[in-house]
Amino acid sequence: MKRISENIIPALCATFICMTLFSACHSNRQERDARQLSCIQEITDTIESIVFSYPGEIGVAMIINNSDTVAVNNSNIYPMMSVFKVHQAIAVCNDFDHKGVSLDTVMEIHRERLNENTWSPMLKDRPDSVISISVRDLLNYTLTQSDNNASNVMFKELVGVEATDSLIATLIPRESFKITYTEEEMSEDHDRAYDNRTTPLGAACLMNRLFTDSLISHEKQSFIVGTLRGCKTGTDRIAAPLLEKNGVTIGHKTGSGYVNDQGILAAHNDVAYICLPNGICYTLAVFVKDFKGNETEAAKAIARVSASVYSILSE
């Protein structure tokens, strides 16, 4: 009987070990892929069961760990409302980057040029007839408190609607959104809100890139991200089921519409970037359109979607 060479034995062992490891890795990869697909399907099925139970159109989009995507009712028909203040902030910061200008640049705003009848915490905080305020503070007002006057001033004095729309079209698909009017113009004709539109996935893509990619200078992008994490509006929406959860971080921006004569709520929105203590990060966008109910009920629908997603991803 032939003896196996002592030199051959280690080689055979190494080959066997490699084959075993490859088989195990391949099996683990298949198991992970299967679990991932199952998770995505569970999230999709759960979201569908929720949104179709409400008297209005609800669109939802998710991006999980910067890769997997979920989209339900993802049509380009949802009024953005104040969600577009994220788009505006990116455009202003991009413009300042190109001009080499600091966000601490101070503007003087004559109170008489502002709308006393719109949502504007800035007016309550600053009673002077001439308001001296930095662009950083204007952005803070728009992102954390959704101030309409601050937004209108920046559209008029810094970066206009068309320029904002054009810039964002270089960051997310052109067909996924359109910005046409300012807050001031929408207040003059509420139907104009439908022309500032988005798909849920378009809004999710922009928020996801803002938190995971490099869009503008690091200093200005970090400022926007940090400010969104301090958003004070709409805590009854996506944030509602997450507020008491340990180790969860969230940055988000809301948008709210008007109620027409038929008692229909035009829009109620929220877009968020969320990180869980288990290492999963995801972007969640929920847009409610033509809702036959009030804001509290619409907010509960958004919170219900958020709670269900959290329950699945935190397991």
Side-chain angles (χ1 to χ4, degrees):
M1 183 175 66
K2 292 183 179 180
R3 295 177 62 193
I4 298 176
S5 167
E6 291 181 359
N7 292 330
I8 294 176
I9 291 175
L12 289 174
C13 288
T15 301
F16 174 74
I17 291 171
C18 287
M19 290 179 64
T20 302
L21 288 174
F22 175 79
S23 177
C25 288
H26 184 65
S27 176
N28 289 339
R29 196 158 51 241
Q30 285 183 322
E31 290 175 6
R32 285 197 303 271
D33 290 345
R35 286 198 301 270
Q36 207 166 6
L37 286 173
S38 176
C39 178
I40 296 301
Q41 191 59 56
E42 183 182 2
I43 289 172
T44 303
D45 291 344
T46 301
I47 290 174
E48 286 181 346
S49 69
I50 293 172
V51 301
F52 292 128
S53 68
Y54 285 92
E57 188 157 359
I58 303 178
V60 180
M62 288 186 66
I63 302 171
I64 306 169
N65 281 342
N66 212 23
S67 58
D68 296 305
T69 302
V70 173
V72 175
N73 282 347
N74 188 50
S75 300
N76 184 6
I77 56 174
Y78 295 92
M80 278 192 278
M81 307 311 300
S82 289
V83 168
F84 80 161
K85 288 166 183 167
V86 174
H87 304 58
Q88 180 181 34
I90 294 172
V92 169
C93 287
N94 176 76
D95 182 65
F96 274 42
D97 276 343
H98 284 291
K99 293 176 178 176
V101 180
S102 169
L103 293 181
D104 294 317
T105 300
V106 174
M107 299 179 65
E108 291 194 346
I109 306 167
H110 290 265
R111 192 180 193 89
E112 62 192 29
R113 297 178 57 194
L114 303 178
N115 185 351
E116 298 279 353
N117 298 316
T118 192
W119 172 252
S120 186
M122 177 179 69
L123 283 184
K124 296 178 181 178
D125 295 343
R126 298 169 183 261
D128 296 337
S129 58
V130 178
I131 299 171
S132 294
I133 185 170
S134 70
V135 175
R136 186 183 302 274
D137 285 343
L138 284 172
L139 288 169
N140 186 67
Y141 272 116
T142 62
L143 295 175
T144 64
Q145 300 187 67
S146 211
D147 194 290
N148 291 336
N149 274 315
S151 175
N152 289 329
V153 166
M154 289 189 289
F155 272 136
K156 288 179 181 178
E157 304 294 336
L158 301 179
V159 181
V161 169
E162 288 186 12
T164 299
D165 182 76
S166 296
L167 173 71
I168 300 302
T170 68
L171 304 178
I172 60 175
R174 167 74 278 174
E175 65 274 10
S176 71
F177 82 103
K178 182 65 178 175
I179 303 174
T180 307
Y181 296 111
T182 65
E183 290 282 6
E184 182 177 26
E185 290 167 329
M186 286 190 290
S187 69
E188 293 169 353
D189 182 352
H190 289 163
D191 287 341
R192 288 173 174 169
Y194 289 87
D195 291 321
N196 281 358
R197 62 188 187 274
T198 188
T199 65
L201 189 56
C205 283
L206 185 64
M207 184 69 84
N208 194 75
R209 291 200 66 189
L210 181 61
F211 277 79
T212 66
D213 202 353
S214 179
L215 305 182
I216 50 181
S217 67
H218 177 72
E219 183 270 328
K220 291 183 177 66
Q221 189 158 331
S222 295
F223 163 72
I224 296 176
V225 166
T227 304
L228 289 172
R229 287 186 173 136
C231 180
K232 299 175 183 177
T233 61
T235 54
D236 58 347
R237 302 179 207 182
I238 289 176
L242 308 176
L243 293 175
E244 303 301 322
K245 307 297 183 183
N246 291 329
V248 176
T249 62
I250 175 172
H252 71 117
K253 183 68 192 79
T254 58
S256 303
Y258 61 93
V259 177
N260 67 19
D261 294 337
Q262 289 73 46
I264 295 175
L265 179 63
H268 212 62
N269 314 322
D270 203 0
V271 185
Y273 185 80
I274 302 154
C275 285
L276 307 182
N278 63 7
I280 294 177
C281 293
Y282 60 98
T283 304
L284 175 62
V286 186
F287 283 79
V288 178
K289 176 195 173 200
D290 295 341
F291 188 79
K292 298 177 181 66
N294 58 38
E295 289 189 343
T296 299
E297 292 166 333
K300 286 181 179 179
I302 296 173
R304 187 178 167 196
V305 171
S306 178
S308 297
V309 168
Y310 170 80
S311 177
I312 295 170
L313 293 180
S314 62
E315 290 178 352

